[in-house]
Amino acid sequence: MSIEPPASAYDMAHDVEIETIATFAVLVDNEPGVLHRVVGLFAARGYNIESLTVAETDRAAHTSRITVVTRGTRHVLAQIEAQLKNMVSTRYVQDVSRDPNGVERELALVKVRGVGAERVEALRLADIFRARVIDTTSESFIFEITGAPSKVDKFTDLMRPLGLVEVSRTGVLSIERGAETL
Amino acid sequence: MSDIQHSPKTEAADTAEILTGAEIVVRCLVDQGVDVLFGYPGGAVLPIYDALFHEPRLHHVLVRHEQGAAHAAEGYARSTGRPGVVLVTSGPGATNTITGIVDALMDSIPLVVLTGQVPTHLIGSDAFQEADTVGITRTCTKHNILVKRAEDLPRAIHEAFHIATTGRPGPVLVDIPKDVQFARAPYQGPKEVRFAHVYAPRTKADPARIREAVALIAGAERPLFYTGGGIINAGPRASALLREFAALTGAPVTSTLMGLGAFPAADPAWLGLVGMHGMFEANHAMHDCDVMVCLGARFDDRVTGRLDAFSPDSKKIHVDIDPSSINKNVRVDVPILGDAASVLEDLIAVWKAEKRKGSKEKLAGWWKQIETWRARQCLRYRPSDTIIKPQYAIERLYALTKDRDVYITTEVGQHQMWAAQFYRFEEPNRWMTSGGLGTMGYGLPAAVGVQLAHPNSLVIDIAGEASVQMTMQEMSTAVQHDLPIKIFILNNEWMGMVRQWQQLLHGERYSHSYSASLPDFVKLAEAYGGVGLRAETPDELDGLIEEMIDIPKPVIFDCKVEKSENCFPMIPSGKAHNEMILGDVEDIGSVVDEAGKRLV
Ligand SMILES: Cc1cc2nc3c(=O)[nH]c(=O)nc-3n(C[C@H](O)[C@H](O)[C@H](O)COP(=O)(O)OP(=O)(O)OC[C@H]3O[C@@H](n4cnc5c(N)ncnc54)[C@H](O)[C@@H]3O)c2cc1C
Ligand SMILES: Cc1ncc(C[n+]2csc(CCOP(=O)(O)OP(=O)(O)O)c2C)c(N)n1
């Protein structure tokens, strides 16, 4: 069944718009079920979760910070932001990825198995990426790397032909440069 | 009850009254100004029921099924503007309310639902009648909370009322374990508690947006107000302001199903219901307008129809209190975040300050066009001397009740649409229907709630014979509590709305949409201790309706109507507003194309 092209320009965005990645920093009241609220919101409305981190960040103020990386059209991302803000438990929402002052970091543990020249090459690349070796056997390394998600991606891509066997990532953390707070 | 040992010693605690959790619940309700609650007892709420036993200020209405409690509370809320309160037990009591909770969420109805829960130390152990109530209801409430300590109860309950009634209204659930109901803690009133959340939705709009909107409206040649349930949510003042602003601009006004009554049906500027079963003139005006002013409506798919053909040439202004409603389905040019009453006040003030004029000459062409659409008389139907046409039944019901103090609820289906088309509302809060969820079985319990709030008014549930059987047991509630509701059934023996879609979309294959073995509704009414009436011909209809109105008891009125009548006008699936079909269409089976059949 072919759907006719939209008759007016104003609805075209739904199909034509490209998807981008966005990172939302969500400051929430630290209370039971709050993580479920966020995850449930994404599940119920069919939004993607690419990564999610959460931890209490201010015990006295009773707040947790949830950083969620998602993907969608501009229109969907605006909806996600509005829906997150609508939650009663939400104190603040910021789209960090669209903030020029936003800093994003991720930590990954990367296990590479190999011997001989490949092993040497892995170690050399790790050095370039400033990944630390945190465990060594005669046929494997575990590297610890921190950086922007794209850097971690790049590193794992390069490790793949050199014997990458396992990756564990924390998901993205974010904060804003300067003295301001959320 | 070891809970209390952990309580922080606050200053208030030294002077405050020490009550049990159950007494706190009851006191909170009284202090919130609650006079009626709808509920059903069970093991996990027995302490609260015990406290209710000693509280004469609260009128508890025992329903027959917890879904009925939720709908009754919705009816109460919608007809008064105050939150509805529900009290049920854990497990099945809580799960039975879910349909009503979702219904309230979809239609922005303020509810506070109190559920009992198994004692805290048993939570998670699959205890008797344990259900993860807050887990189950997390995505279908505006907010919910499990209260694990009695000292948190005053705050939780007072805050529940605050959240349910501010911003975009909705249902809030408070889950209270049984041990918390027994534990003792200091009581704090609504003014003393400190809320756990910073919840303060914005109600005052950005002045720059207001000026932008006024300029757009003043410059329009074909303006149109598209008004919805948000006006009702914003209170009677918003309806009054809408009337004033519409008059200032001279623009025509349409209403959504949820917005009926916000603008008087008698006003010549009213074009009627908009959307799938809306008026020909309203939908054509939506399609052709150059400036659309959406006030407290949410561009629902029953209204927009095919999105890519929705009002293609208009600039759109959208006033809504919920930021997620704006740009959700339809992109708008001037988003205005705020409460409808406050925004209308600002719009009027700026309109007057800038000495704007609603020019008769400029809009003359537009009105002329609208009159040609009106002349199409889209509600016309083929009358009959022998069979009661459903449209005729509503027309007569309206004619014979309109001068009374009347409230209308409905079930879901064709009868609901005919009620929306043929019953005319001049005031807000008079029309209670399930719009967003479309819950069959809503109308009867909702009527119970409305009648409680308005004991001396005439409350009529316009029903279908299929829908009404979903919550028929609430007839017993009406009888018990002396609530003389009138259940006016348009009995076509079919799930008419389903049959209509099957005729239109599925080659007249009427799969399981006929109700065989219908009960004798007259005898059923009598069995419940109410009164049953039956009308079978047009000439006896008026007399029987008059009789129904005069009976001071619950009545089931079995109005036997034409079985295969279809509800028109209708925008068929996949079509644009200006492609709607009317009752005189030749072959309705061929109207919808293959792509349209896939839509809902
Ligand atoms: C069988 C069937 C057929 C239907 N056919 C039609 C039809 O033909 N036409 C039709 O219109 N509907 C129809 N409906 C109903 C439809 O599904 C929607 O429920 C309805 O259109 C929504 O109405 P609304 O846009 O006014 O929004 P509501 O659901 O009433 O929502 C109110 C909006 O106002 C906002 N709001 C709330 N409070 C305030 C405030 N204080 N200030 C400002 N904004 C506020 C809310 O955020 C929300 O966006 C049908 C339903 C059924 C079951
Ligand atoms: C709880 C529920 N189940 C199913 C539906 C789907 N549905 C919508 S209208 C309808 C038929 C309603 O029949 P009736 O109450 O007799 O009203 P009529 O359309 O004949 O006026 C059905 C089954 C619904 N809206 N709600």
Side-chain angles (χ1 to χ4, degrees):
Chain A
M1 201 75 39
S2 72
I3 311 276
E4 289 170 44
S8 82
Y10 102 108
D11 195 53
M12 288 175 56
H14 275 293
D15 310 310
V16 180
E17 235 179 77
I18 41 159
E19 292 197 343
T20 54
I21 298 233
T23 306
F24 290 104
V26 191
L27 206 62
V28 294
D29 293 307
N30 183 16
E31 57 191 7
V34 67
L35 182 60
H36 182 214
R37 249 179 239 293
V38 174
V39 175
L41 170 71
F42 275 71
R45 296 190 180 267
Y47 307 144
N48 298 308
I49 296 181
E50 309 250 316
S51 88
L52 181 84
T53 64
V54 55
E56 186 175 65
T57 47
D58 185 340
R59 177 148 298 183
H62 236 61
T63 51
S64 292
R65 188 178 177 119
I66 296 175
T67 309
V68 52
V69 179
T70 181
R71 171 191 290 280
T73 62
R74 204 162 47 88
H75 169 243
V76 167
L77 295 177
Q79 266 294 304
I80 293 176
E81 187 169 346
Q83 296 290 358
L84 285 170
K85 283 180 175 161
N86 263 357
M87 292 190 341
V88 170
S89 314
T90 300
R91 298 227 183 152
Y92 197 83
V93 180
Q94 191 177 25
D95 181 348
V96 192
S97 41
R98 277 196 286 171
D99 177 355
N101 284 327
V103 180
E104 293 175 46
R105 287 292 179 271
E106 189 174 9
L107 185 146
L109 301 176
V110 181
K111 186 180 285 181
V112 180
R113 195 153 60 200
V115 289
E118 288 179 352
R119 184 173 161 85
V120 177
E121 177 64 0
L123 203 57
R124 195 183 69 83
L125 287 171
D127 194 40
I128 294 170
F129 276 80
R130 295 205 201 131
R132 287 202 307 139
V133 177
I134 57 169
D135 178 70
T136 316
T137 69
S138 58
E139 45 164 4
S140 72
F141 287 121
I142 297 173
F143 298 112
E144 175 194 300
I145 177 170
T146 53
S150 57
K151 174 177 163 186
V152 177
D153 288 345
K154 193 86 205 276
F155 182 68
T156 51
D157 283 351
L158 286 170
M159 287 298 137
R160 194 153 288 122
L162 302 178
L164 178 93
V165 287
E166 199 175 337
V167 183
S168 175
R169 299 171 73 148
T170 56
V172 176
L173 299 176
S174 70
I175 204 157
E176 215 180 341
R177 285 178 222 276
E180 301 301 309
T181 60
L182 263 192
Chain B
M1 310 300 111
S2 58
D3 279 326
I4 195 136
Q5 291 162 7
H6 311 297
S7 73
K9 277 268 180 291
T10 61
E11 252 177 70
D14 296 334
T15 52
E17 242 177 301
I18 306 291
L19 303 176
T20 67
E23 288 164 347
I24 289 175
V25 171
V26 168
R27 175 66 84 76
C28 284
L29 298 183
V30 169
D31 285 356
Q32 285 292 336
V34 173
D35 52 2
V36 180
L37 68 159
F38 303 89
Y40 208 93
V45 280
L46 282 180
I48 300 177
Y49 271 83
D50 201 30
L52 274 178
F53 193 74
H54 304 289
E55 180 47 77
R57 287 171 289 182
L58 289 175
H59 180 25
H60 175 274
V61 177
L62 179 68
V63 294
R64 297 299 182 269
H65 183 295
E66 290 88 348
Q67 180 187 351
H71 293 321
E74 287 186 273
Y76 176 92
R78 192 65 165 183
S79 69
T80 60
R82 298 200 297 270
V85 181
V86 175
L87 172 62
V88 296
T89 193
S90 65
T95 56
N96 269 352
T97 62
I98 297 222
T99 302
I101 292 174
V102 182
D103 195 88
L105 184 75
M106 294 287 274
D107 285 347
S108 305
I109 310 288
L111 290 191
V112 173
V113 181
L114 307 171
T115 53
Q117 183 53 278
V118 301
T120 44
H121 63 275
L122 290 181
I123 290 178
S125 70
D126 297 323
F128 177 63
Q129 295 199 323
E130 179 180 3
D132 176 13
T133 303
V134 285
I136 292 168
T137 58
R138 208 165 265 138
T139 55
C140 70
T141 50
K142 182 172 174 186
H143 190 68
N144 67 10
I145 181 172
L146 168 67
V147 182
K148 287 189 165 169
R149 309 185 315 167
E151 49 269 51
D152 294 337
L153 262 178
R155 177 180 62 200
I157 295 176
H158 291 309
E159 190 168 17
F161 277 87
H162 170 68
I163 294 168
T165 53
T166 46
R168 179 178 185 165
V172 179
L173 183 142
V174 184
D175 199 23
I176 311 170
K178 193 168 181 180
D179 55 334
V180 174
Q181 299 170 32
F182 280 121
R184 300 175 74 82
Y187 175 72
Q188 290 177 296
K191 297 227 163 60
E192 290 127 43
V193 290
R194 276 195 55 207
F195 290 160
H197 304 94
V198 188
Y199 179 69
R202 178 171 177 171
T203 55
K204 181 88 181 141
D206 176 354
R209 294 295 197 194
I210 299 280
R211 286 194 299 274
E212 233 179 294
V214 164
L216 253 184
I217 299 167
E221 290 175 2
R222 301 186 306 280
L224 179 69
F225 284 82
Y226 152 42
T227 66
I231 305 274
I232 315 269
N233 288 133
R237 201 167 63 93
S239 294
L241 291 164
L242 169 64
R243 291 153 198 228
E244 185 184 347
F245 191 47
L248 284 172
T249 61
V253 180
T254 67
S255 303
T256 67
L257 187 75
M258 296 308 293
L260 292 177
F263 196 79
D267 192 313
W270 196 58
L271 304 190
L273 180 72
V274 69
M276 180 175 265
H277 290 290
M279 299 302 102
F280 189 74
E281 51 272 36
N283 284 329
H284 274 268
M286 285 285 264
H287 188 270
D288 283 9
C289 65
D290 66 349
V291 173
M292 178 184 291
V293 189
C294 170
L295 288 158
R298 56 184 175 83
F299 294 95
D300 185 80
D301 55 61
R302 300 294 92 162
V303 168
T304 60
R306 189 179 154 159
L307 273 174
D308 60 23
F310 176 68
S311 195
D313 303 319
S314 63
K315 292 268 188 212
K316 297 174 186 72
I317 300 164
H318 186 183
V319 178
D320 204 292
I321 202 158
D322 176 356
S324 75
S325 278
I326 293 176
N327 287 326
K328 180 190 272 173
N329 304 326
V330 166
R331 313 297 165 77
V332 298
D333 303 277
V334 184
I336 302 182
L337 195 60
D339 171 66
S342 157
V343 171
L344 277 162
E345 210 160 59
D346 293 352
L347 287 168
I348 291 169
V350 171
W351 184 276
K352 287 181 173 165
E354 295 181 355
K355 301 204 176 359
R356 301 285 189 173
K357 288 264 171 322
S359 147
K360 276 249 159 59
E361 300 84 79
K362 196 168 67 185
L363 301 192
W366 181 224
W367 274 110
K368 204 168 145 216
Q369 173 64 64
I370 288 169
E371 290 310 330
T372 64
W373 289 324
R374 263 186 177 154
R376 191 72 168 75
Q377 294 187 321
C378 67
L379 288 184
R380 257 194 321 183
Y381 59 92
R382 219 162 280 138
S384 163
D385 295 337
T386 48
I387 302 171
I388 303 177
K389 289 285 188 154
Q391 301 94 324
Y392 177 75
I394 307 284
E395 276 183 324
R396 293 317 302 156
L397 184 70
Y398 172 63
L400 297 170
T401 57
K402 66 177 178 179
D403 296 324
R404 293 171 181 266
D405 174 18
V406 60
Y407 292 82
I408 303 289
T409 73
T410 77
E411 308 292 338
V412 168
Q414 290 180 317
H415 63 276
Q416 176 190 26
M417 294 299 111
W418 282 315
Q421 294 171 339
F422 289 89
Y423 209 100
R424 300 169 69 80
F425 298 90
E426 311 298 329
E427 290 169 42
N429 305 98
R430 297 280 174 167
W431 162 251
M432 273 52 58
T433 197
S434 169
L437 198 61
T439 311
M440 292 170 68
Y442 164 87
L444 200 174
V448 165
V450 175
Q451 187 80 75
L452 258 152
H454 310 277
N456 302 316
S457 307
L458 177 61
V459 180
I460 307 172
D461 170 27
I462 296 178
E465 78 295 334
S467 294
V468 79
Q469 290 189 79
M470 288 208 173
T471 49
M472 177 52 89
Q473 66 278 6
E474 302 308 335
M475 183 66 182
S476 178
T477 309
V479 171
Q480 180 187 340
H481 295 274
D482 289 327
L483 303 168
I485 58 169
K486 313 295 182 233
I487 302 162
F488 190 81
I489 302 174
L490 294 184
N491 185 350
N492 55 12
E493 296 175 17
W494 289 88
M495 296 171 198
M497 186 61 93
V498 173
R499 190 202 52 71
Q500 176 168 348
W501 281 56
Q502 288 173 333
Q503 183 181 2
L504 248 77
L505 309 174
H506 296 278
E508 304 185 38
R509 290 180 296 280
Y510 299 120
S511 182
H512 306 282
S513 52
Y514 183 74
S515 299
S517 314
L518 281 172
D520 178 329
F521 285 107
V522 172
K523 283 194 189 148
L524 191 61
E526 285 160 8
Y528 276 117
V531 176
L533 298 173
R534 178 172 294 122
E536 280 166 315
T537 57
D539 54 339
E540 62 180 1
L541 187 58
D542 277 21
L544 284 161
I545 290 176
E546 302 271 21
E547 191 179 338
M548 170 186 87
I549 295 169
D550 290 336
I551 296 171
K553 280 184 170 199
V555 177
I556 299 181
F557 191 116
D558 184 14
C559 187
K560 297 275 207 183
V561 297
E562 163 76 60
K563 292 191 181 48
S564 53
E565 192 74 11
N566 283 321
C567 183
F568 294 113
M570 177 174 187
I571 303 177
S573 316
K575 298 279 178 184
H577 277 168
N578 58 357
E579 297 176 291
M580 69 187 310
I581 50 173
L582 304 186
D584 46 17
V585 61
E586 292 297 326
D587 170 18
I588 71 164
S590 64
V591 172
V592 179
D593 58 19
E594 284 305 317
K597 288 181 186 172
R598 291 166 185 249
L599 304 171
V600 288

